[in-house]
Amino acid sequence: MDSETRPEATLAAPGTARGRTVRKRPFVLNMVAGLLALKAVGHVIIMTVFWLGYLDSPPAYVSGLFVEQAGEYRYFATMIVYAAMYAIVAIGLWRLRSWAWVATMLVLGFDLATTIIGYFQGRANYPSMVLSVVCVFYLNDRDVQGLFARRRARETEA
Amino acid sequence: MSDLELLRRHEPIARLTRGELFFPSAVDAYVRGCGLWMRDESGRTREIVPRGALDLETLAARGDTPAGSSLHLRFVEEPLTAIDLQRWLQRPGRESFRVPGRLARVSFPSRLVDSGFNLSLLVRGKVPGGTAAAAEVAWRNRTAGEARFVYYGRVVREGGWIALQYLFFYPMNNWRSGFHGVNDHEADWEQIFVYLYEPSAGAVPEPYWVAYASHDYQGDDLRRRWDDPLLRKQGAHPVVFVGAGSHASYFEQGEYVMGVEPQFLTPIRKALTQARQFWTVVLGQGLDIPNETSANSPLSIPFVDYARGDGVSIGPGEARQWSPVLISDAVPWVDRYRGLWGLDTRDPFGGERAPSGPKYNRDGSVRRSWSDPLGWAGLDKVLPPPEVPTALGARRAELDTEIATREQTIQEQRHLVRKLAVDVTALGATEYHSALHTRKTRDLTAMETELRGLQSAQVEAIETRAAIRAYDERIRAGDAGDPRTHLRHVHRPAPPVPPQRRIVQLWGALSGAIALLMLVAMVAFALPHWWLWAVSVVLVFMAVEAAMHGRIANFLLNTVITLAAFATLILVWEFWRLLLVLGLIAIAIYILRENLRELAKS
């Protein structure tokens, strides 16, 4: 990990700007949060496109295991849940919330499980797999975990 | 002061655990209840002195054995039957011994290994079930109305120390059957030492070290200094916390967890530890750096030695007092009987075999604790306190002389080196002296090396002298230093275990067998996609296990990491050619960048 992404290096003592506490996040963490936010937006766009009738069926790489051959309403409901889930963890990560670390890992685990099963069923989604793997190993890095642990300690103290 | 007076002055206070059945006892009563058996070369055993006809004198007289034969005593003639055992367990007034589930404390793999250990008892020699109960009944009947608590004492004066050896004989070790421990065996010998020194000629000896025999510890780790705050004392008497059933001696009150790891699993454990080290230290993954010992290894069998000190107490100031018996090489039963003091099960690991007497090992050789009580506790190298200032003074004087002599040698050597260096410089001026120049250069190099060696030896001697001077000053100021610096491994009691729910204990007891039954079902029914079933079963077991111990979040996170690792393998499998190409391109770019950077600088 380079010095740019090392939390100890970038997370200096919080300064203040216009009366608000400003905390720097590692660049890669911003990327992960942004990626999850994009996934949330992507789900909403696909749902909208499908709802407007531009798609005959939900795309397999997005719909995953739970919506295949399901009814339209169930598909919409699942897509909304997915979009909400990604949006919540993205915001949590962005704000360095300790719960968001656990939640993101679980969401990524769910993604990995679906892509691995998809792989064995002949529906491999390698880009998703690569991104999930990179995100999991990045978030499991001791320095990144330490960042959230320190945050949790501060929350407890407060 | 006589030997007996010395022993009595520092005799220990033994605190046993509630539920203990056997106490430090007299050997004469035990031997009178035993038969003496001989195993001959062919492996057949026969009783050579019947029960009732044996006493300590006979035992000493029958101590010699023909080559290839061995002797052992047998205290229990027949173990209790299942019905009698149940009656014995439900006898009125029985002291109960309650423990938080041992198996529920540890991981699922440890429980599987533990089951394997229990199975191994079926094929190893072991003390039959019901033996401990029969021994308790027999001993109670034999000593009815005569509760003597005995230690066997011995005093050895050696190397400026006075070693007080206290030996305790218990009719039975029932650690396995009574307290979920490693082993059972008839008869048990345990020992502790108190080491005294004489502050001045004729003065009353003072205690300075105490050493307790304990599982798997030896040398320096066995002893504690008298002023160690973790050594419990009452006046001049050290307190010993005795392990329930095992009778091992501990300095502190508590429960001692020890992991017994089967030898064949050691390489697997080491490989796992290295993998975890790589994962956490090299890759920087996870929060914790593994610090694995045999006690917390996931593949070791967890045993607990309960030295709670909440049961019977024996010793000065307690309700029960000691009856000391002096022993030495001159006592016939000590010196002449080398056989085992109870049933010889022929267990190849030795754990279920009775021990030999106070002087001998099972193979008939003399115990180190008997022949060399100082070396046994690592005290051979330790001076008694009154001798320390004198020894330090003598060593300083020795070093002063050594330093002065060497300084003279260094001066002479330097003079020779300089002379030779002049020659070498002069000879190097012309080609005609090249042969002589080469030889003298070689000599000069050798002499310089010698001079360097002398100088570094001088520095070491000067540093040592300074350290000894400082040590001497501390000693004269009454500072004996940290009492624990000699300890390398300290066995401390485990932290108290929070009360466990019944369901957790039940799961701990049943999960191993359920896993085995599921495996049998998969094989018996030849399930399609059996590997998927196997993975599912493992996941379900791990999830239940994690839920039982309140670690479900950890389990889920570990599952995510495992999935990521598996996905990585898939990616490597599918794109190894691309990854190889990308890797080589990266290396090429790196080399190019480094070389160009060097070029730019030059």
Side-chain angles (χ1 to χ4, degrees), chain B residues 231-429:
Chain B
L231 172 67
R232 289 275 299 274
K233 303 182 292 276
Q234 282 187 14
H237 306 279
V239 178
V240 184
F241 294 97
V242 181
S246 75
H247 310 130
S249 307
Y250 294 99
F251 293 98
E252 293 176 77
Q253 184 173 13
E255 299 182 357
Y256 291 80
V257 179
M258 55 202 77
V260 177
E261 186 175 81
Q263 240 172 5
F264 71 95
L265 289 176
T266 305
I268 301 174
R269 195 248 306 161
K270 283 184 177 167
L272 283 175
T273 306
Q274 279 182 350
R276 287 183 62 187
Q277 288 275 359
F278 179 76
W279 179 252
T280 52
V281 179
V282 181
L283 298 181
Q285 294 284 307
L287 271 182
D288 301 322
I289 310 275
N291 179 22
E292 218 155 70
T293 62
S294 63
N296 65 15
S297 157
L299 297 173
S300 71
I301 309 163
F303 288 111
V304 183
D305 207 357
Y306 302 95
R308 293 173 172 173
D310 57 354
V312 168
S313 273
I314 310 161
E318 304 295 322
R320 296 165 180 83
Q321 297 297 311
W322 291 116
S323 299
V325 177
L326 266 177
I327 58 169
S328 67
D329 287 311
V331 176
W333 65 265
V334 172
D335 189 51
R336 291 191 210 145
Y337 179 66
R338 295 185 189 230
L340 306 189
W341 278 71
L343 177 67
D344 186 0
T345 58
R346 310 300 291 173
D347 173 14
F349 300 125
E352 296 268 327
R353 293 179 79 196
S356 288
K359 183 173 173 180
Y360 297 108
N361 293 308
R362 286 197 189 98
D363 61 3
S365 59
V366 179
R367 283 181 197 246
R368 190 165 182 218
S369 57
W370 186 272
S371 63
D372 178 18
L374 295 188
W376 176 77
L379 270 177
D380 264 336
K381 57 185 174 289
V382 182
L383 284 163
E387 293 179 24
V388 174
T390 317
L392 289 176
R395 182 69 186 127
R396 274 177 66 181
E398 244 177 50
L399 283 169
D400 286 343
T401 313
E402 186 185 316
I403 288 165
T405 312
R406 195 183 290 110
E407 188 56 42
Q408 182 66 33
T409 315
I410 287 171
Q411 297 296 342
E412 288 166 11
Q413 184 79 1
R414 188 178 290 129
H415 180 66
L416 290 175
V417 167
R418 285 178 178 174
K419 264 201 320 191
L420 201 54
V422 169
D423 293 358
V424 168
T425 311
L427 289 166

Side-chain angles (χ1 to χ4, degrees), chain A residues 34-107:
Chain A
L35 191 75
L36 291 166
L38 271 178
K39 275 194 139 181
V41 174
H43 276 77
V44 173
I45 291 170
I46 290 166
M47 184 176 66
T48 312
V49 170
F50 182 62
W51 182 59
L52 292 173
Y54 293 111
L55 285 173
D56 291 338
S57 62
Y61 68 90
V62 174
S63 57
L65 295 172
F66 298 93
V67 292
E68 222 169 47
Q69 297 164 351
E72 205 168 278
Y73 292 111
R74 196 182 297 177
Y75 174 71
F76 284 131
T78 312
M79 293 296 275
I80 287 168
V81 170
Y82 275 16
M85 191 170 71
Y86 286 122
I88 289 168
V89 294
I91 293 166
L93 272 191
W94 185 262
R95 301 187 65 192
L96 291 176
R97 299 293 175 190
S98 52
W99 58 260
W101 184 89
V102 179
T104 310
M105 289 293 268
L106 295 180
V107 167

Side-chain angles (χ1 to χ4, degrees), chain A residues 119 126 133 137 140 142 145, chain B residues 280 284-286 560 568 574-575:
Chain A
Y119 168 80
Y126 296 120
V133 166
F137 287 141
N140 194 47
R142 190 174 309 122
Q145 283 203 61
Chain B
T280 52
Q285 294 284 307
V560 173
T568 307
E574 291 291 339
F575 301 103

Side-chain angles (χ1 to χ4, degrees), chain B residues 194-236:
Chain B
V194 178
Y195 296 92
L196 316 176
Y197 70 96
E198 286 183 339
S200 56
V204 177
E206 293 289 329
Y208 199 75
W209 294 103
V210 178
Y212 295 175
S214 193
H215 306 285
D216 303 330
Y217 287 81
Q218 54 188 340
D220 292 332
D221 291 329
L222 293 174
R223 68 174 202 276
R224 299 289 184 276
R225 215 166 71 189
W226 193 255
D227 59 348
D228 187 329
L230 290 182
L231 172 67
R232 289 275 299 274
K233 303 182 292 276
Q234 282 187 14

